């Protein structure tokens, strides 16, 4: 993934209100810029930050840099049953990893269980790729996410944000 600009990350993080007990999760394979800023953001506001890394080499490279009372780092696989060891739910889940098309719906079903009612999923999608954007929009709708919108604050990425609404479906 390409580098993110700090000003764009700060603009993105401005959507997260300073509420007690806020939990943030990121699923990534290599986007260290965002991970570093999320770690510092969680530390500043005493939030919980779970960094789930798909690539074992990247995990081994950075895990020691993320040791912090607010941050937990795990190496995960998209195929595993759950992405969280405990029955915790998160207010914001950032997806910076590339998710293969053939597991997208299954992935969203798992993520749905990890998001608090009213919580948000934020997907980093390739910039100006209408087909991928529409496929994700359809998958999000099919998996009971609502209020789907996109924002353009990064040069190489378009962000798609969707909300898990209370009482919608029983995934």
């Amino acid at each position: 993934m390409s580098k993110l600009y700090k000003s764009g990350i700060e603009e993105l993080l401005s959507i997260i209100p300073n509420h007690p007990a806020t939990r943030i999760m990121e699923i990534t394979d290599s986007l260290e810029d965002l991970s570093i800023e999320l770690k510092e953001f969680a530390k500043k506001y005493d939030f919980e930050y779970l960094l789930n890394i798909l690539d074992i080499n990247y995990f081994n490279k950075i895990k020691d840099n993320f040791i912090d009372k607010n941050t937990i780092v795990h190496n995960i696989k998209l195929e595993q049953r759950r992405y969280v060891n405990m029955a915790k739910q998160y207010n914001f889940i950032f997806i910076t990893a590339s998710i293969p098309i053939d597991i997208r719906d299954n992935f969203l079903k798992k993520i749905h269980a990890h998001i608090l009612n009213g919580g948000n999923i934020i997907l980093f999608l390739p910039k100006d790729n209408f087909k991928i954007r529409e496929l994700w929009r359809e998958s999000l709708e099919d998996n009971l996410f609502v209020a789907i919108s996109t924002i353009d604050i990064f040069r190489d990425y378009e962000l798609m944000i969707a909300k898990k609404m209370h009482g919608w479906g029983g995934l």
Side-chain angles (χ1 to χ4, degrees):
M1 297 193 91
S2 66
K3 188 163 179 56
L4 300 178
Y5 293 101
K6 189 170 176 87
S7 62
I9 295 172
E10 289 172 355
E11 186 176 347
L12 173 60
L13 297 182
S14 73
I15 69 171
I16 302 174
N18 183 6
H19 293 157
T22 295
R23 290 187 177 132
I24 301 167
M25 180 198 302
E26 179 184 5
I27 297 178
T28 191
D29 43 23
S30 64
L31 194 57
E32 192 170 1
D33 303 342
L34 181 61
S35 302
I36 291 168
E37 293 298 325
L38 283 171
K39 175 188 173 229
E40 293 305 315
F41 189 76
K43 187 177 191 177
K44 178 179 178 181
Y45 293 106
D46 198 28
F47 294 161
E48 181 181 316
Y49 171 44
L50 172 60
L51 175 57
N52 283 327
I53 301 173
L54 298 174
D55 182 283
I56 187 67
N57 296 322
Y58 180 60
F59 171 76
N60 288 330
K61 174 185 166 194
I62 72 160
K63 67 181 176 185
D64 294 336
N65 297 331
F66 281 83
I67 296 172
D68 184 284
K69 79 175 190 83
N70 298 83
T71 303
I72 301 165
V73 183
H74 289 154
N75 175 238
I76 66 164
K77 295 180 178 11
L78 290 174
E79 302 80 27
Q80 66 191 56
R81 194 172 76 79
R82 295 184 56 87
Y83 304 129
V84 178
N85 289 341
M86 297 179 280
K88 289 187 177 181
Q89 291 186 311
Y90 292 80
N91 306 82
F92 294 88
I93 298 183
F94 294 84
I95 310 297
T96 61
S98 179
I99 308 301
I101 291 171
D102 59 329
I103 67 163
R104 184 177 297 151
D105 285 330
N106 191 31
F107 172 78
L108 287 173
K109 286 176 183 156
K110 292 176 194 179
I111 286 297
H112 194 274
H114 296 315
I115 299 178
L116 278 169
N117 290 327
N120 296 277
I121 181 172
I122 299 130
L123 300 158
F124 280 62
L125 303 177
K127 186 76 153 213
D128 300 325
N129 190 321
F130 178 79
K131 182 178 179 181
I132 288 176
R133 185 175 64 233
E134 289 311 304
L135 286 171
W136 269 107
R137 181 181 304 280
E138 289 173 16
S139 290
L140 287 164
E141 287 173 352
D142 291 346
N143 288 284
L144 308 174
F145 288 92
V146 297
I148 302 167
S149 62
T150 57
I151 57 174
D152 182 12
I153 56 176
F154 296 112
R155 183 186 68 212
D156 298 325
Y157 304 102
E158 183 170 20
L159 302 182
M160 182 170 279
I161 300 174
K163 189 171 285 294
K164 175 184 175 180
M165 294 302 289
H166 175 69
W168 286 54
L171 294 178

